Amino acid sequence: MNDTNSVVSIKDVKKAFGKNVVLDGINLEVSRGQVVVICGRSGSGKSTLLRCIDQLESIDSGEIRAAGHLMGFKEFNTKLVPLKDAAIAKQQRDIGMVFQNFNLFPHVSVLENIMLAPMKILKRKKSEVENEALALLERVGLPDKKNAYPRQLSGGQQQRIAIARALAMKPKLMLFDEPTSALDPEMISEVLDVMIDLSKAGMTMIVVTHEMGFARAAADRVILMHDAKIVEDAAPRDFFEKPRSEHTRLFLSKILQH
Amino acid sequence: MSWSWPYFFDYMNNGLMLRGVWVTIWLSIISMTIGLGLGIFAALMKMYGNPAVRFISEFYIWLFRGTPILIQLVIIYTGLPQLGIRFNVIESCILGLALNEGAYLAEIIRSGIMSVDKGQEDASRAVGMNWRERMWLVILPQATRTIIPPLGNQFNGMLKTTSLCSVISMQELMRSAQMIAQIEFRVLEAYCIAALWYLLLVSIWGLIQTRIEAHYEKPFGSQEAVSNSEK
Ligand SMILES: Nc1ncnc2c1ncn2[C@@H]1O[C@H](COP(=O)(O)OP(=O)(O)OP(=O)(O)O)[C@@H](O)[C@H]1O
Ligand SMILES: [Mg+2]
């Protein structure tokens, strides 16, 4: 990466599921500390883009650099060689991901959810990891839930724990895939507040969401995806007030009707 | 010859019979443990292996589920020596029981793994776990919850299946009963005692199984159940 400030650099990425083209030549640069919000109608490829950045899906062509890694490949004599599972796992440690359905580990307690990866994967000392985990619980406002199991928590609480779990690996980049769309309305703000704090602390974030309030409050850029392409990429103000793409105008009019 | 209570009580704490009980217990535990290892291995091979590996696993499961355990035991103990492969009685029993059990457990474990939510794989990848870490730290521990009840039933079956080893002269509970029955031809008394012992072993296991199930169910229980048990 030439630009040391660049945390994500995506060049001409293509991805199809069978004949269904889901990412059609995506280019995207995100620099350190930026918060980028992605929106777009269902099926436009938002989740797939995030999953490709974190290598939960592989790409067909193009390249993705994220958190200092050429994701899924290594360079060998100017050729790109696909990486094996274990090497991809190492790259993934530097990227945190938060899912719509939280996906906490249901068989262990909240504290163990946060400590599992740093302890078992990074093989760090338990006392040290535990102190950090407790600090993270404090940060997401749930210090008294450390011994609870995920099933005992509300959706909003589970999502805040999921954020803490991702942060425990000290990622350089956080990806959020509709973190609030599975939540009851009264719980949405507790999760967004944590995310806004995180952005203020300087975390680089890509957030797929339709919470336009969050986009206005925390985003540096708002992107609209339409039919596997990025059709708008603008500062929030411009995105909402003078969108260039017809698709954005249509999208905004639909959102505002709700 | 009618039913005789004195013989019945005499056989109850007969040394030969008690030794048979003990053999049945450890034979079951050892065979089950090895069978569990085989089952996990075969299940993972079938689910994640390349086509060749998958074929080996499927062939193994097909072969050992498709033939009677009795024939498997007899082939291992009395048939294989013909090819120069010799196992003693104990080895043959453990091998036969474990191989047979592994084939059944493989399918149970496979469906347990498939019952784990797909999102768990995503989440464990996202924190940077490789395949082995995902399996041992996230997927298998959760599959355990689904696997434990049928696994318990398999062990219940194992306690009784060991009786087939008497055919290749393993001195477990069934064989002990046969030997005692032959001394005074008190056949009914001897086999009734053996049957009672099996009942007792299976019942004790039933109690243990309930506790194990409750343990693995704990994180998934109702909110009240969990918080109460934590007090
Ligand atoms: N694993 C998969 N296999 C096949 N097709 C898939 C897979 N994942 C996604 N797709 C398809 O790719 C397209 C884009 O899906 P994606 O989930 O990226 O959209 P999205 O923008 O996140 O939509 P939503 O707002 O509904 O979450 C859809 O047509 C979807 O059906
Ligand atoms: Mg999506």
Side-chain angles (χ1 to χ4, degrees), chain A residues 46-47 100 177-178:
Chain A
K46 310 179 295 293
S47 297
Q100 183 172 349
D177 191 1
E178 307 208 31

Side-chain angles (χ1 to χ4, degrees), chain A residues 51 54 56 85-86 89 92-93 95 97 99 103-107 116 120-121 147 149 151-152 165 169, chain B residues 117 119-120 122-131 133-134 137-138 141-142 218-220 223 226-227 230:
Chain A
R51 293 174 63 83
D54 201 16
L56 299 180
D85 176 76
Q92 288 168 324
R93 294 174 189 174
I95 302 176
M97 184 140 178
F99 302 91
N103 294 341
L104 290 177
F105 305 134
H107 61 301
L116 191 65
K120 296 285 162 94
I121 298 170
N147 292 321
Y149 284 102
R151 294 286 153 99
Q152 297 171 289
R165 174 179 67 178
M169 292 297 281
Chain B
D117 182 53
Q120 293 295 308
D122 286 345
S124 46
R125 273 177 194 269
V127 290
M129 292 186 191
N130 60 33
W131 185 82
E133 292 159 342
R134 296 200 294 274
L137 298 174
V138 176
Q142 288 180 58
K218 192 180 151 203
F220 301 91
Q223 301 213 347
V226 184
S227 43
E230 262 178 8

Side-chain angles (χ1 to χ4, degrees), chain A residues 17-18 20-23 40-49 51 57 100 177-178 208 210 225:
Chain A
F17 291 108
N20 183 10
V21 177
V22 181
L23 299 178
R41 69 175 188 210
S42 179
S44 55
K46 310 179 295 293
S47 297
T48 306
L49 177 58
R51 293 174 63 83
E57 303 280 357
Q100 183 172 349
D177 191 1
E178 307 208 31
V208 172
H210 290 159
M225 283 187 73

